[in-house]
Amino acid sequence: MKRLLSICFALFLFAQVSWAEEPHKYSALIEESRDAVVLVATESESGQGGFGSGFLITDDGIVVTNYHVIHRNTNILIWFYDEDDPRHYPATVLAIDPVSDIALLQIEVKPRLLPLEFLDIEGDKEEIRVGDAIISIGHFLGLDWTVTRGYISHINRPNRISPYISLIQHDAAINRGNSGGPVINTEGNVVGVNTYAFLSKNEHMGAAYALRGDILDEIVEELIEKGEVVRPGLGLKLLQLNEFSRARLIKEHVGQTFPNTFGLLAVEVVLDSWAYKQGLRTFDSIIAVNGIPVNGLDDLTDEVKDLSVGDVINLIIIRDSVFMELTYELKVLEFDYMKFYDDRVAKQKRGSGNDGIR
């Protein structure tokens, strides 16, 4: 018992020393990072404006922010942190990837006139760990260059738009204005880009989500090189099968057979659609891809995400309680992002959403 108390006391003292040293460490980190963090102000053709955050990633003026920050906006201005120089700089949209909610902006000013501090993106997933301390710099509720601190609590949360995109979850306080701002680790590298948070009556609930750094690194590289990110897809709507979804389906579709509680169910496979031409039918359940069992959407994603449009995969499906095998050609992943983000903006204006930040 005494040994246990001694260990606990030692850990307590260590924690006190660590916390005492942290303010100095974080102050230096913030001083080094905030010059690269920018305020992104926007204005639409109708004259409506908004703001968000972003950060410089190259010495020639490329800025990362969220796509939803600049959605349907034509006039974009950038401010850097400089108390003695409040000038703003015009920017244009260099490339967008709405699936990941990322936009690259190009500042329309000669690089020699810009603050040339920029942030490095952490491209190694292994360096992004649960429990890591992080800081977020951004424009919290319109307050310039606000800093909040927290910890990573998850590194593989699903994205609401596409299973190809993984998010980190952290508990640094995030509110409107933080969108597009960086999540920075103690090494000064960007491990995420704040995208949304769960808010209750505009109060932070301790659950903020950011595009993970290694995925961001790949997206940025592809956007700079090719101007777009092209992803493979099956071209159909899928439903996760489990005991609950199966029970609901049986109740909604009387007489239809749903024999399994695992895999992915094809829904709304209409005549002459891509999936129909590949051989799938409504209520087929996909249980394996290329010989790998599919229990959920993550399993399918893991097998498809590194393939290319036009590649052919082998599916094992169950149709009317009979096992079948299909060859299936991947197509370009389609996403009606204009409607998605229009609906998101409308939802926020109505005040009916609790998970949007800007």
PDB file of all heavy atoms in Angstrom, residues 328-352:
ATOM      1  N   TYR A 328     -17.180  -5.633 -60.538  1.00  0.00           N
ATOM      2  CA  TYR A 328     -17.768  -4.296 -60.453  1.00  0.00           C
ATOM      3  C   TYR A 328     -16.692  -3.257 -60.767  1.00  0.00           C
ATOM      4  O   TYR A 328     -15.641  -3.213 -60.121  1.00  0.00           O
ATOM      5  CB  TYR A 328     -18.321  -4.076 -59.045  1.00  0.00           C
ATOM      6  CG  TYR A 328     -19.298  -2.946 -58.895  1.00  0.00           C
ATOM      7  CD1 TYR A 328     -20.659  -3.175 -58.809  1.00  0.00           C
ATOM      8  CD2 TYR A 328     -18.863  -1.624 -58.833  1.00  0.00           C
ATOM      9  CE1 TYR A 328     -21.573  -2.141 -58.661  1.00  0.00           C
ATOM     10  CE2 TYR A 328     -19.753  -0.581 -58.685  1.00  0.00           C
ATOM     11  CZ  TYR A 328     -21.112  -0.844 -58.595  1.00  0.00           C
ATOM     12  OH  TYR A 328     -22.000   0.197 -58.447  1.00  0.00           O
ATOM     13  N   GLU A 329     -16.956  -2.399 -61.740  1.00  0.00           N
ATOM     14  CA  GLU A 329     -16.013  -1.348 -62.129  1.00  0.00           C
ATOM     15  C   GLU A 329     -16.268  -0.083 -61.320  1.00  0.00           C
ATOM     16  O   GLU A 329     -17.408   0.375 -61.197  1.00  0.00           O
ATOM     17  CB  GLU A 329     -16.145  -1.033 -63.621  1.00  0.00           C
ATOM     18  CG  GLU A 329     -15.151   0.035 -64.095  1.00  0.00           C
ATOM     19  CD  GLU A 329     -15.309   0.362 -65.567  1.00  0.00           C
ATOM     20  OE1 GLU A 329     -15.976  -0.422 -66.282  1.00  0.00           O
ATOM     21  OE2 GLU A 329     -14.771   1.401 -65.990  1.00  0.00           O
ATOM     22  N   LEU A 330     -15.191   0.481 -60.769  1.00  0.00           N
ATOM     23  CA  LEU A 330     -15.309   1.699 -59.968  1.00  0.00           C
ATOM     24  C   LEU A 330     -15.468   2.918 -60.870  1.00  0.00           C
ATOM     25  O   LEU A 330     -14.840   3.010 -61.926  1.00  0.00           O
ATOM     26  CB  LEU A 330     -14.081   1.864 -59.078  1.00  0.00           C
ATOM     27  CG  LEU A 330     -13.835   0.743 -58.057  1.00  0.00           C
ATOM     28  CD1 LEU A 330     -12.551   0.997 -57.300  1.00  0.00           C
ATOM     29  CD2 LEU A 330     -15.007   0.626 -57.094  1.00  0.00           C
ATOM     30  N   LYS A 331     -16.287   3.860 -60.427  1.00  0.00           N
ATOM     31  CA  LYS A 331     -16.504   5.094 -61.172  1.00  0.00           C
ATOM     32  C   LYS A 331     -16.027   6.267 -60.324  1.00  0.00           C
ATOM     33  O   LYS A 331     -15.606   6.101 -59.176  1.00  0.00           O
ATOM     34  CB  LYS A 331     -17.984   5.266 -61.513  1.00  0.00           C
ATOM     35  CG  LYS A 331     -18.884   5.416 -60.293  1.00  0.00           C
ATOM     36  CD  LYS A 331     -20.301   5.803 -60.683  1.00  0.00           C
ATOM     37  CE  LYS A 331     -20.342   7.147 -61.362  1.00  0.00           C
ATOM     38  NZ  LYS A 331     -21.708   7.635 -61.624  1.00  0.00           N
ATOM     39  N   VAL A 332     -16.108   7.465 -60.882  1.00  0.00           N
ATOM     40  CA  VAL A 332     -15.735   8.668 -60.133  1.00  0.00           C
ATOM     41  C   VAL A 332     -16.751   8.904 -59.019  1.00  0.00           C
ATOM     42  O   VAL A 332     -17.965   8.852 -59.244  1.00  0.00           O
ATOM     43  CB  VAL A 332     -15.678   9.897 -61.061  1.00  0.00           C
ATOM     44  CG1 VAL A 332     -15.418  11.165 -60.250  1.00  0.00           C
ATOM     45  CG2 VAL A 332     -14.611   9.718 -62.124  1.00  0.00           C
ATOM     46  N   LEU A 333     -16.254   9.119 -57.814  1.00  0.00           N
ATOM     47  CA  LEU A 333     -17.129   9.440 -56.697  1.00  0.00           C
ATOM     48  C   LEU A 333     -17.806  10.780 -56.964  1.00  0.00           C
ATOM     49  O   LEU A 333     -17.139  11.788 -57.211  1.00  0.00           O
ATOM     50  CB  LEU A 333     -16.319   9.517 -55.403  1.00  0.00           C
ATOM     51  CG  LEU A 333     -17.094   9.869 -54.136  1.00  0.00           C
ATOM     52  CD1 LEU A 333     -18.018   8.708 -53.758  1.00  0.00           C
ATOM     53  CD2 LEU A 333     -16.142  10.185 -52.991  1.00  0.00           C
ATOM     54  N   GLU A 334     -19.115  10.796 -56.931  1.00  0.00           N
ATOM     55  CA  GLU A 334     -19.874  12.012 -57.207  1.00  0.00           C
ATOM     56  C   GLU A 334     -20.451  12.579 -55.914  1.00  0.00           C
ATOM     57  O   GLU A 334     -20.860  11.839 -55.023  1.00  0.00           O
ATOM     58  CB  GLU A 334     -21.005  11.720 -58.204  1.00  0.00           C
ATOM     59  CG  GLU A 334     -20.490  11.287 -59.572  1.00  0.00           C
ATOM     60  CD  GLU A 334     -21.617  10.957 -60.534  1.00  0.00           C
ATOM     61  OE1 GLU A 334     -22.773  10.800 -60.057  1.00  0.00           O
ATOM     62  OE2 GLU A 334     -21.356  10.845 -61.735  1.00  0.00           O
ATOM     63  N   PHE A 335     -20.490  13.899 -55.858  1.00  0.00           N
ATOM     64  CA  PHE A 335     -20.971  14.576 -54.651  1.00  0.00           C
ATOM     65  C   PHE A 335     -21.546  15.931 -55.056  1.00  0.00           C
ATOM     66  O   PHE A 335     -20.831  16.782 -55.590  1.00  0.00           O
ATOM     67  CB  PHE A 335     -19.810  14.744 -53.666  1.00  0.00           C
ATOM     68  CG  PHE A 335     -20.117  15.600 -52.472  1.00  0.00           C
ATOM     69  CD1 PHE A 335     -21.284  15.425 -51.752  1.00  0.00           C
ATOM     70  CD2 PHE A 335     -19.220  16.571 -52.055  1.00  0.00           C
ATOM     71  CE1 PHE A 335     -21.560  16.208 -50.641  1.00  0.00           C
ATOM     72  CE2 PHE A 335     -19.475  17.351 -50.950  1.00  0.00           C
ATOM     73  CZ  PHE A 335     -20.657  17.163 -50.240  1.00  0.00           C
ATOM     74  N   ASP A 336     -22.826  16.138 -54.829  1.00  0.00           N
ATOM     75  CA  ASP A 336     -23.479  17.410 -55.143  1.00  0.00           C
ATOM     76  C   ASP A 336     -23.171  18.394 -54.020  1.00  0.00           C
ATOM     77  O   ASP A 336     -23.993  18.669 -53.145  1.00  0.00           O
ATOM     78  CB  ASP A 336     -24.991  17.198 -55.283  1.00  0.00           C
ATOM     79  CG  ASP A 336     -25.716  18.454 -55.777  1.00  0.00           C
ATOM     80  OD1 ASP A 336     -25.050  19.503 -55.931  1.00  0.00           O
ATOM     81  OD2 ASP A 336     -26.939  18.382 -55.992  1.00  0.00           O
ATOM     82  N   TYR A 337     -21.945  18.914 -54.067  1.00  0.00           N
ATOM     83  CA  TYR A 337     -21.485  19.732 -52.949  1.00  0.00           C
ATOM     84  C   TYR A 337     -22.184  21.088 -52.866  1.00  0.00           C
ATOM     85  O   TYR A 337     -22.345  21.635 -51.767  1.00  0.00           O
ATOM     86  CB  TYR A 337     -19.969  19.917 -53.005  1.00  0.00           C
ATOM     87  CG  TYR A 337     -19.445  20.762 -54.134  1.00  0.00           C
ATOM     88  CD1 TYR A 337     -19.278  22.128 -53.974  1.00  0.00           C
ATOM     89  CD2 TYR A 337     -19.078  20.192 -55.355  1.00  0.00           C
ATOM     90  CE1 TYR A 337     -18.769  22.905 -55.001  1.00  0.00           C
ATOM     91  CE2 TYR A 337     -18.581  20.958 -56.380  1.00  0.00           C
ATOM     92  CZ  TYR A 337     -18.432  22.320 -56.199  1.00  0.00           C
ATOM     93  OH  TYR A 337     -17.938  23.099 -57.224  1.00  0.00           O
ATOM     94  N   MET A 338     -22.613  21.641 -53.989  1.00  0.00           N
ATOM     95  CA  MET A 338     -23.311  22.927 -53.936  1.00  0.00           C
ATOM     96  C   MET A 338     -24.601  22.796 -53.123  1.00  0.00           C
ATOM     97  O   MET A 338     -24.889  23.618 -52.245  1.00  0.00           O
ATOM     98  CB  MET A 338     -23.613  23.432 -55.341  1.00  0.00           C
ATOM     99  CG  MET A 338     -22.374  23.745 -56.155  1.00  0.00           C
ATOM    100  SD  MET A 338     -21.301  25.014 -55.406  1.00  0.00           S
ATOM    101  CE  MET A 338     -22.260  26.496 -55.738  1.00  0.00           C
ATOM    102  N   LYS A 339     -25.367  21.749 -53.395  1.00  0.00           N
ATOM    103  CA  LYS A 339     -26.605  21.537 -52.639  1.00  0.00           C
ATOM    104  C   LYS A 339     -26.308  21.228 -51.177  1.00  0.00           C
ATOM    105  O   LYS A 339     -26.976  21.734 -50.267  1.00  0.00           O
ATOM    106  CB  LYS A 339     -27.418  20.394 -53.252  1.00  0.00           C
ATOM    107  CG  LYS A 339     -28.750  20.132 -52.539  1.00  0.00           C
ATOM    108  CD  LYS A 339     -29.500  18.974 -53.176  1.00  0.00           C
ATOM    109  CE  LYS A 339     -30.875  18.805 -52.534  1.00  0.00           C
ATOM    110  NZ  LYS A 339     -30.800  18.607 -51.069  1.00  0.00           N
ATOM    111  N   PHE A 340     -25.290  20.404 -50.931  1.00  0.00           N
ATOM    112  CA  PHE A 340     -24.954  20.027 -49.568  1.00  0.00           C
ATOM    113  C   PHE A 340     -24.625  21.253 -48.731  1.00  0.00           C
ATOM    114  O   PHE A 340     -25.145  21.427 -47.616  1.00  0.00           O
ATOM    115  CB  PHE A 340     -23.769  19.058 -49.567  1.00  0.00           C
ATOM    116  CG  PHE A 340     -23.306  18.671 -48.187  1.00  0.00           C
ATOM    117  CD1 PHE A 340     -23.877  17.601 -47.528  1.00  0.00           C
ATOM    118  CD2 PHE A 340     -22.298  19.385 -47.553  1.00  0.00           C
ATOM    119  CE1 PHE A 340     -23.457  17.242 -46.251  1.00  0.00           C
ATOM    120  CE2 PHE A 340     -21.882  19.047 -46.278  1.00  0.00           C
ATOM    121  CZ  PHE A 340     -22.452  17.966 -45.626  1.00  0.00           C
ATOM    122  N   TYR A 341     -23.771  22.129 -49.273  1.00  0.00           N
ATOM    123  CA  TYR A 341     -23.366  23.296 -48.494  1.00  0.00           C
ATOM    124  C   TYR A 341     -24.439  24.384 -48.483  1.00  0.00           C
ATOM    125  O   TYR A 341     -24.546  25.141 -47.509  1.00  0.00           O
ATOM    126  CB  TYR A 341     -22.021  23.828 -48.994  1.00  0.00           C
ATOM    127  CG  TYR A 341     -20.863  22.944 -48.591  1.00  0.00           C
ATOM    128  CD1 TYR A 341     -20.298  22.042 -49.487  1.00  0.00           C
ATOM    129  CD2 TYR A 341     -20.368  22.974 -47.301  1.00  0.00           C
ATOM    130  CE1 TYR A 341     -19.260  21.207 -49.107  1.00  0.00           C
ATOM    131  CE2 TYR A 341     -19.326  22.138 -46.909  1.00  0.00           C
ATOM    132  CZ  TYR A 341     -18.775  21.263 -47.812  1.00  0.00           C
ATOM    133  OH  TYR A 341     -17.750  20.430 -47.428  1.00  0.00           O
ATOM    134  N   ASP A 342     -25.256  24.476 -49.530  1.00  0.00           N
ATOM    135  CA  ASP A 342     -26.407  25.381 -49.486  1.00  0.00           C
ATOM    136  C   ASP A 342     -27.349  24.964 -48.356  1.00  0.00           C
ATOM    137  O   ASP A 342     -27.835  25.814 -47.594  1.00  0.00           O
ATOM    138  CB  ASP A 342     -27.165  25.360 -50.817  1.00  0.00           C
ATOM    139  CG  ASP A 342     -26.478  26.175 -51.901  1.00  0.00           C
ATOM    140  OD1 ASP A 342     -25.571  26.971 -51.573  1.00  0.00           O
ATOM    141  OD2 ASP A 342     -26.831  26.003 -53.084  1.00  0.00           O
ATOM    142  N   ASP A 343     -27.609  23.662 -48.253  1.00  0.00           N
ATOM    143  CA  ASP A 343     -28.485  23.158 -47.195  1.00  0.00           C
ATOM    144  C   ASP A 343     -27.877  23.404 -45.817  1.00  0.00           C
ATOM    145  O   ASP A 343     -28.589  23.732 -44.857  1.00  0.00           O
ATOM    146  CB  ASP A 343     -28.745  21.662 -47.380  1.00  0.00           C
ATOM    147  CG  ASP A 343     -29.621  21.359 -48.584  1.00  0.00           C
ATOM    148  OD1 ASP A 343     -30.241  22.300 -49.121  1.00  0.00           O
ATOM    149  OD2 ASP A 343     -29.666  20.179 -49.010  1.00  0.00           O
ATOM    150  N   ARG A 344     -26.572  23.261 -45.740  1.00  0.00           N
ATOM    151  CA  ARG A 344     -25.896  23.482 -44.457  1.00  0.00           C
ATOM    152  C   ARG A 344     -26.012  24.935 -44.021  1.00  0.00           C
ATOM    153  O   ARG A 344     -26.299  25.221 -42.853  1.00  0.00           O
ATOM    154  CB  ARG A 344     -24.428  23.085 -44.593  1.00  0.00           C
ATOM    155  CG  ARG A 344     -23.597  23.304 -43.345  1.00  0.00           C
ATOM    156  CD  ARG A 344     -22.205  22.741 -43.505  1.00  0.00           C
ATOM    157  NE  ARG A 344     -21.365  23.073 -42.371  1.00  0.00           N
ATOM    158  CZ  ARG A 344     -20.143  22.604 -42.196  1.00  0.00           C
ATOM    159  NH1 ARG A 344     -19.628  21.771 -43.072  1.00  0.00           N
ATOM    160  NH2 ARG A 344     -19.432  22.947 -41.152  1.00  0.00           N
ATOM    161  N   VAL A 345     -25.808  25.858 -44.960  1.00  0.00           N
ATOM    162  CA  VAL A 345     -25.929  27.289 -44.646  1.00  0.00           C
ATOM    163  C   VAL A 345     -27.356  27.614 -44.225  1.00  0.00           C
ATOM    164  O   VAL A 345     -27.585  28.334 -43.247  1.00  0.00           O
ATOM    165  CB  VAL A 345     -25.508  28.151 -45.857  1.00  0.00           C
ATOM    166  CG1 VAL A 345     -25.856  29.614 -45.614  1.00  0.00           C
ATOM    167  CG2 VAL A 345     -24.013  27.996 -46.117  1.00  0.00           C
ATOM    168  N   ALA A 346     -28.344  27.083 -44.970  1.00  0.00           N
ATOM    169  CA  ALA A 346     -29.750  27.337 -44.649  1.00  0.00           C
ATOM    170  C   ALA A 346     -30.084  26.802 -43.257  1.00  0.00           C
ATOM    171  O   ALA A 346     -30.826  27.441 -42.492  1.00  0.00           O
ATOM    172  CB  ALA A 346     -30.644  26.699 -45.700  1.00  0.00           C
ATOM    173  N   LYS A 347     -29.555  25.650 -42.924  1.00  0.00           N
ATOM    174  CA  LYS A 347     -29.810  25.048 -41.617  1.00  0.00           C
ATOM    175  C   LYS A 347     -29.255  25.920 -40.501  1.00  0.00           C
ATOM    176  O   LYS A 347     -29.902  26.120 -39.463  1.00  0.00           O
ATOM    177  CB  LYS A 347     -29.174  23.656 -41.577  1.00  0.00           C
ATOM    178  CG  LYS A 347     -29.467  22.856 -40.316  1.00  0.00           C
ATOM    179  CD  LYS A 347     -28.835  21.479 -40.421  1.00  0.00           C
ATOM    180  CE  LYS A 347     -29.112  20.649 -39.175  1.00  0.00           C
ATOM    181  NZ  LYS A 347     -28.477  19.309 -39.257  1.00  0.00           N
ATOM    182  N   GLN A 348     -28.063  26.464 -40.717  1.00  0.00           N
ATOM    183  CA  GLN A 348     -27.464  27.326 -39.699  1.00  0.00           C
ATOM    184  C   GLN A 348     -28.245  28.628 -39.546  1.00  0.00           C
ATOM    185  O   GLN A 348     -28.423  29.131 -38.438  1.00  0.00           O
ATOM    186  CB  GLN A 348     -26.009  27.616 -40.057  1.00  0.00           C
ATOM    187  CG  GLN A 348     -25.099  26.418 -39.899  1.00  0.00           C
ATOM    188  CD  GLN A 348     -23.660  26.727 -40.246  1.00  0.00           C
ATOM    189  OE1 GLN A 348     -23.345  27.815 -40.723  1.00  0.00           O
ATOM    190  NE2 GLN A 348     -22.779  25.780 -40.013  1.00  0.00           N
ATOM    191  N   LYS A 349     -28.736  29.178 -40.649  1.00  0.00           N
ATOM    192  CA  LYS A 349     -29.510  30.410 -40.576  1.00  0.00           C
ATOM    193  C   LYS A 349     -30.811  30.207 -39.804  1.00  0.00           C
ATOM    194  O   LYS A 349     -31.281  31.105 -39.110  1.00  0.00           O
ATOM    195  CB  LYS A 349     -29.802  30.940 -41.982  1.00  0.00           C
ATOM    196  CG  LYS A 349     -28.583  31.547 -42.671  1.00  0.00           C
ATOM    197  CD  LYS A 349     -28.939  32.064 -44.059  1.00  0.00           C
ATOM    198  CE  LYS A 349     -27.726  32.703 -44.718  1.00  0.00           C
ATOM    199  NZ  LYS A 349     -28.033  33.189 -46.076  1.00  0.00           N
ATOM    200  N   ARG A 350     -31.394  29.002 -39.944  1.00  0.00           N
ATOM    201  CA  ARG A 350     -32.616  28.692 -39.222  1.00  0.00           C
ATOM    202  C   ARG A 350     -32.339  28.406 -37.750  1.00  0.00           C
ATOM    203  O   ARG A 350     -33.264  28.365 -36.941  1.00  0.00           O
ATOM    204  CB  ARG A 350     -33.317  27.473 -39.822  1.00  0.00           C
ATOM    205  CG  ARG A 350     -33.884  27.679 -41.214  1.00  0.00           C
ATOM    206  CD  ARG A 350     -34.845  26.551 -41.569  1.00  0.00           C
ATOM    207  NE  ARG A 350     -34.239  25.238 -41.471  1.00  0.00           N
ATOM    208  CZ  ARG A 350     -33.632  24.610 -42.473  1.00  0.00           C
ATOM    209  NH1 ARG A 350     -33.530  25.212 -43.651  1.00  0.00           N
ATOM    210  NH2 ARG A 350     -33.129  23.407 -42.304  1.00  0.00           N
ATOM    211  N   GLY A 351     -31.067  28.180 -37.449  1.00  0.00           N
ATOM    212  CA  GLY A 351     -30.713  27.860 -36.066  1.00  0.00           C
ATOM    213  C   GLY A 351     -31.082  26.458 -35.664  1.00  0.00           C
ATOM    214  O   GLY A 351     -31.181  26.131 -34.489  1.00  0.00           O
ATOM    215  N   SER A 352     -31.273  25.579 -36.674  1.00  0.00           N
ATOM    216  CA  SER A 352     -31.706  24.225 -36.377  1.00  0.00           C
ATOM    217  C   SER A 352     -30.564  23.242 -36.281  1.00  0.00           C
ATOM    218  O   SER A 352     -30.763  22.073 -35.985  1.00  0.00           O
ATOM    219  CB  SER A 352     -32.703  23.743 -37.453  1.00  0.00           C
ATOM    220  OG  SER A 352     -32.097  23.798 -38.741  1.00  0.00           O
TER     221      SER A 352
END
